[in-house]
Amino acid sequence: MKCSLKLNVDFPGPGSPLCPLVDVASASNFRCFQLRHFHLDLRLNFAVKEMSGWLVLDLVPVQPGVQILVLDSHPSLLIHSIDCKVPGSGQEEPVSLTYRVDPFTDYGSSLNVSLPTAALKPGRLIQITIRYTTTDGPAIWWLDSELTCGQSRPLVFTQGHSVCNRSFFPSFDTPAVKSTYTATVRVPDGVTVLMSASRSSYSKQDRVFQFSMEFPVPSYLVALVAGDLQHVDVGPRSRVWAEPCLLSCAVKKLGGSVERWLAVAEQLFGPYLWGRCDIVFLPPSFPIVAMENPCLTFIIASILESSEFLLIDVIHEISHGWFGNAVTNATWEEMWLSEGLATYAQRRITTEAYGEAFTCLETAVRLDALHRQLRLLGDNNPVSKLQVKFEPGVNPSSLMNLFTYEKGFCFVSYLSEICGDVRRFDCFLRVKFKFKSVVAQDLIDYFLGYFPELKDAAIAQREGLEFERWLSGCGPPLYEPDLSAGGALTRPVQDLCDLWRSSDPPDLKTVATFDLSAWSTFQIVLFLDRMLDLSPLPHDVMAGLSGCYSSLFDGLNAEVQIRWLQMVVRNSFYPELPRVRAFLHKHVSNDTAPSSTVALHRVLPSHCTEFYRRTAPSSTVALPRVLPSHCTEFYRRTAPSTTVTLHRVLP
């Protein structure tokens, strides 16, 4: 279907949000300046686990009378000096500036820089150079060689979402600000550096990597990884990077799928804007499942164990190329704009590539998890809102949850439903705010302008489905898409659940008609999740389930195993409790990058952890504390309401 514009949109300057806003998660005075560009020049020192160098900000004051530049920083950054130049002013030498660092929140500080009055004229470019050293901040993860997959060389990576990159470099650390950037990274011999950049080069003689991101991005999407990394091209614009011991497996799992998924996405939503679409697989110490860094998706290597979850997660990150990276939520209070739209796009891609039934099955698993979380939290819990109002000091990552994904997806699905034509809605999504940061009202205004017949029908005020209620109301989605097209896959699951839900074990001949060995991972996951919802179960029923399926589950991936072990613990089924301790000992107490960590990231229940603490030998070191607050994005989409999250793979 040919897509055409129905109205003209006048965009503001580069990287600026369409609506005035306040970002309570940023200490910076980003509204006083336009960030044209920035450059990083860093040297990586693996021996002392430091990055040192400088940052150059190209800034244009946009308000008169501003005498202070306030940047987001972090106590882990050691600031050595700050100076200023005014290009074209005849000034030869940079002017040294005074500065101070003030407390802001437990996830950052404010860097206050006094600017020279003579240099400050609205519209005139100034260059601020900050020399600094990173120490142990939340964005930068140094892994000793023992914690990598190959266990031969150390590795470092950064993870900026959502407010962590202020410990990587001083910045306007808000999604409202976007800019281009360049970087120079100096490393020891034998180290390969990758960044979320559209262009790169390497001087072997100088051991220097150069990067350039020619498209404007927010600070949280600037990412770096350095270590023993190799690549294989898997398409004309995509390659897979990994440690040598993982590379062949990763390439085999993905094959030519990346280009296929990109082609489907382009048919739906228009050209892919970023040029490269590379993927780097990181050790299981990576604190989340995947991160949509533009041009270079970071993804946890342990997901390679489950082909279906790998497929979904990679397609989701590809979808962010249109929704989240190109058009971005202007504040963290509206993360659903990124995640809800990306989840909708992901499911449009899987529908075209793998059929509607597969997409409905995957959606059923996720929506079940959403309702499970609601039962735990209650319908009136404010975290279930799409627009969550943060109190100052609250870390945005602490409110990253299923609602940003699944309730956001349901709202986007509702918009598609009321427009009456999914292909026409695809075309609407093509006409996006390219490289802009937006708030929900921008999207709604544009939607009603693109579909004037809906505006005339006052669709935004439809009783019980008001847009304002969608955005600011607590509780479940006001609408959920019809999943009946997945009935051929979901009905057998529910039928088997119904057989096992009685107080007595079902007839084994009837049970044998359900061949779980022929089921997909998502079908088995849906079955186990729904049986968990029915727990506690009678002992005889658990014994029957164990006899029928336990040995089968032992041979399947960790997404299945962890759910079965949850059932074991939830139902106090003592014959299989030793399996729980063995699983946790293998996958939590092992420094050496366990193969199934991703399942622990998603679904490890707190009572299972408690059981491990109580039953493990006294010599076993305690489990790590529950995750750092900046690393909750993995909680998305699959985590049942009882989960606790483990982020660093520690003994």
Side-chain angles (χ1 to χ4, degrees):
M1 177 177 177
K2 185 176 180 180
C3 301
S4 59
L5 289 172
K6 288 200 170 185
L7 73 160
N8 296 318
V9 178
D10 294 324
F11 294 116
S16 56
L18 297 186
C19 292
L21 55 93
V22 173
D23 187 345
V24 298
S26 174
S28 69
N29 58 348
F30 65 91
R31 286 165 294 173
C32 298
F33 299 88
Q34 181 190 2
L35 176 60
R36 291 260 180 98
H37 181 83
F38 69 88
H39 175 74
L40 285 167
D41 194 304
L42 297 172
R43 183 179 300 275
L44 308 190
N45 188 328
F46 284 85
V48 296
K49 298 181 179 178
E50 287 182 352
M51 299 183 187
S52 59
W54 59 88
L55 163 74
V56 181
L57 299 168
D58 289 352
L59 295 170
V60 176
V62 296
Q63 294 182 7
V66 178
Q67 298 180 342
I68 300 289
L69 167 66
V70 184
L71 298 172
D72 290 301
S73 186
H74 192 273
S76 64
L77 288 186
L78 304 180
I79 308 298
H80 304 305
S81 67
I82 303 178
D83 58 52
C84 173
K85 288 185 69 173
V86 183
S89 67
Q91 171 191 334
E92 295 293 332
E93 295 297 324
V95 175
S96 181
L97 303 180
T98 60
Y99 62 90
R100 73 175 191 274
V101 177
D102 292 334
F104 176 57
T105 64
D106 62 358
Y107 56 84
S109 53
S110 66
L111 175 59
N112 301 266
V113 183
S114 298
L115 299 175
T117 306
L120 290 179
K121 294 183 179 179
R124 173 189 279 184
L125 176 69
I126 59 174
Q127 289 185 326
I128 306 295
T129 300
I130 304 172
R131 299 182 184 276
Y132 72 100
T133 299
T134 70
T135 58
D136 186 22
I140 303 174
W141 296 61
W142 297 92
L143 303 185
D144 294 331
S145 57
E146 294 81 7
L147 286 173
T148 66
C149 295
Q151 300 184 47
S152 60
R153 291 174 180 262
L155 182 141
V156 63
F157 62 81
T158 66
Q159 166 55 22
H161 195 286
S162 48
V163 289
C164 295
N165 263 358
R166 60 192 67 184
S167 68
F168 181 16
F169 55 93
S171 61
F172 294 138
D173 196 9
T174 169
V177 175
K178 295 185 176 185
S179 76
T180 58
Y181 80 89
T182 49
T184 301
V185 185
R186 308 165 200 277
V187 293
D189 191 34
V191 174
T192 297
V193 184
L194 308 174
M195 289 192 75
S196 53
S198 51
R199 300 181 186 277
S200 64
S201 62
Y202 173 58
S203 169
K204 186 174 182 179
Q205 180 179 352
D206 300 322
R207 299 197 302 275
V208 172
F209 287 82
Q210 302 278 359
F211 300 95
S212 173
M213 170 52 84
E214 59 193 302
F215 309 108
V217 295
S219 59
Y220 78 92
L221 290 178
V222 178
L224 175 150
V225 58
D228 184 14
L229 300 169
Q230 296 180 4
H231 77 271
V232 169
D233 289 337
V234 293
R237 50 186 165 170
S238 56
R239 60 182 44 155
V240 170
W241 290 89
E243 293 179 69
C245 60
L246 283 176
L247 187 59
S248 61
C249 175
V251 171
K252 182 180 178 181
K253 288 281 188 175
L254 284 175
S257 298
V258 177
E259 184 60 34
R260 178 191 179 194
W261 298 332
L262 281 169
V264 173
E266 288 185 314
Q267 291 172 4
L268 295 172
F269 308 119
Y272 180 72
L273 302 169
W274 302 93
R276 300 295 308 174
C277 185
D278 298 340
I279 298 170
V280 58
F281 286 90
L282 297 177
S285 295
F286 186 56
I288 57 177
V289 175
M291 181 62 203
E292 66 273 13
N293 302 309
C295 304
L296 183 68
T297 290
F298 285 16
I299 193 162
I300 195 168
S302 34
I303 202 171
L304 290 167
E305 185 176 289
S306 174
S307 296
E308 290 177 47
F309 281 89
L310 173 67
L311 177 156
I312 291 298
D313 282 318
V314 174
I315 292 177
H316 182 86
E317 306 313 321
I318 285 175
S319 299
H320 274 302
W322 285 263
F323 310 104
N325 295 358
V327 57
T328 307
N329 47 277
T331 79
W332 295 117
E333 293 177 323
E334 295 189 321
M335 280 187 273
W336 75 271
L337 284 168
S338 170
E339 298 301 346
L341 281 162
T343 302
Y344 178 86
Q346 161 211 311
R347 289 172 181 156
R348 287 290 295 121
I349 295 168
T350 59
T351 297
E352 295 296 316
Y354 299 101
E356 195 172 2
F358 173 83
T359 299
C360 289
L361 170 63
E362 182 266 334
T363 305
V365 171
R366 313 300 195 187
L367 291 181
D368 270 16
L370 178 71
H371 289 288
R372 194 171 300 117
Q373 192 174 79
L374 268 172
R375 287 195 295 273
L376 177 74
L377 298 175
D379 285 352
N380 294 321
N381 195 301
V383 303
S384 63
K385 296 180 180 181
L386 291 182
Q387 288 180 328
V388 181
K389 295 301 179 184
F390 293 164
E391 293 296 325
V394 173
N395 190 321
S397 296
S398 67
L399 294 176
M400 193 76 174
N401 55 45
L402 281 168
F403 301 102
T404 60
Y405 294 84
E406 298 306 331
K407 191 172 180 179
F409 158 75
C410 287
F411 183 39
V412 179
S413 298
Y414 173 66
L415 296 179
S416 174
E417 175 70 18
I418 60 178
C419 88
D421 185 338
V422 67
R423 297 289 181 181
R424 191 178 174 208
F425 190 72
D426 292 341
C427 290
F428 159 72
L429 293 177
R430 283 176 174 239
V431 188
K432 55 186 176 293
F433 304 107
K434 185 169 66 172
F435 303 127
K436 302 299 169 185
S437 297
V438 301
V439 296
Q441 195 58 49
D442 299 321
L443 177 68
I444 289 171
D445 289 346
Y446 190 67
F447 175 80
L448 294 174
Y450 194 91
F451 300 102
E453 68 277 14
L454 297 180
K455 182 177 182 179
D456 293 343
I459 197 71
Q461 288 79 42
R462 178 182 287 180
E463 186 175 359
L465 292 162
E466 298 89 348
F467 287 1
E468 178 59 29
R469 186 176 173 188
W470 267 106
L471 297 174
S472 60
C474 298
L478 305 179
Y479 162 91
E480 293 183 13
D482 179 9
L483 303 181
S484 60
L489 299 176
T490 57
R491 272 194 303 272
V493 173
Q494 189 56 49
D495 290 345
L496 187 58
C497 287
D498 291 340
L499 280 176
W500 285 103
R501 71 186 304 163
S502 64
S503 58
D504 299 313
D507 177 66
L508 293 183
K509 289 185 179 180
T510 305
V511 169
T513 63
F514 295 84
D515 182 9
L516 267 65
S517 66
W519 280 15
S520 70
T521 294
F522 276 122
Q523 284 178 295
I524 297 176
V525 163
L526 185 64
F527 168 64
L528 291 175
D529 279 349
R530 290 184 174 179
M531 292 306 297
L532 270 165
D533 290 341
L534 297 173
S535 297
L537 299 168
H539 179 84
D540 289 347
V541 172
M542 277 299 298
L545 287 165
S546 176
C548 289
Y549 307 126
S550 184
S551 60
L552 171 66
F553 296 156
D554 275 348
L556 299 180
N557 60 60
E559 296 287 354
V560 171
Q561 290 181 39
I562 194 69
R563 286 170 166 86
W564 169 242
L565 295 179
Q566 285 183 83
M567 286 192 63
V568 168
V569 175
R570 181 81 60 83
N571 291 280
S572 300
F573 187 63
Y574 290 99
E576 294 221 18
L577 283 177
R579 291 177 186 249
V580 177
R581 193 202 308 170
F583 183 91
L584 290 172
H585 189 274
K586 177 181 179 182
H587 298 306
V588 178
S589 301
N590 188 346
D591 278 7
T592 57
S595 62
S596 307
T597 311
V598 67
L600 299 176
H601 281 355
R602 295 183 194 270
V603 295
L604 183 64
S606 56
H607 50 255
C608 194
T609 308
E610 181 63 21
F611 168 81
Y612 181 65
R613 284 198 178 103
R614 291 182 179 182
T615 61
S618 59
S619 59
T620 303
V621 70
L623 290 172
R625 290 179 180 270
V626 176
L627 76 160
S629 60
H630 65 280
C631 296
T632 54
E633 192 257 353
F634 73 88
Y635 190 47
R636 67 186 188 188
R637 304 202 305 271
T638 59
S641 59
T642 56
T643 57
V644 63
T645 50
L646 299 176
H647 277 265
R648 296 183 185 264
V649 182
L650 301 173

